Amino acid sequence: YLKVQQLQADGKRRLLRLLRAGDAADLESLVDHPYPHDLVTLTEADVCRVPAEALMGLAAKHPKLHEAM
């Protein structure tokens, strides 16, 4: 599991969502740079980094994939 959290102005951390195996994280960074959240592993996790250019290329070639993102 991964948790997505955001550091608040008062120093507290706000939990935004929990991610499970197969969930996509950080898609917001495609439109909002830099990514304003932290990802924290809660259990052992394998993470695959996919460059934004590759995602955008796939989205252009496969519009249904873009809709699903």
Side-chain angles (χ1 to χ4, degrees):
Y1 289 93
L2 294 171
K3 70 177 177 178
V4 181
Q5 64 184 17
Q6 184 177 46
L7 185 61
Q8 302 295 298
D10 62 5
K12 294 181 181 178
R13 298 186 186 282
R14 178 177 169 213
L15 176 64
L16 300 175
R17 66 180 164 270
L18 292 174
L19 302 174
R20 298 179 296 196
D23 287 345
D26 198 19
L27 292 177
E28 294 91 344
S29 69
L30 295 173
V31 294
D32 184 18
H33 298 281
Y35 190 62
H37 310 117
D38 295 321
L39 299 173
V40 180
T41 59
L42 300 174
T43 60
E44 185 175 327
D46 292 319
V47 179
C48 176
R49 183 171 187 257
V50 180
E53 297 80 20
L55 281 177
M56 297 308 279
L58 282 171
K61 290 180 184 176
H62 304 281
K64 293 215 183 263
L65 174 65
H66 186 289
E67 291 172 20
M69 292 193 302

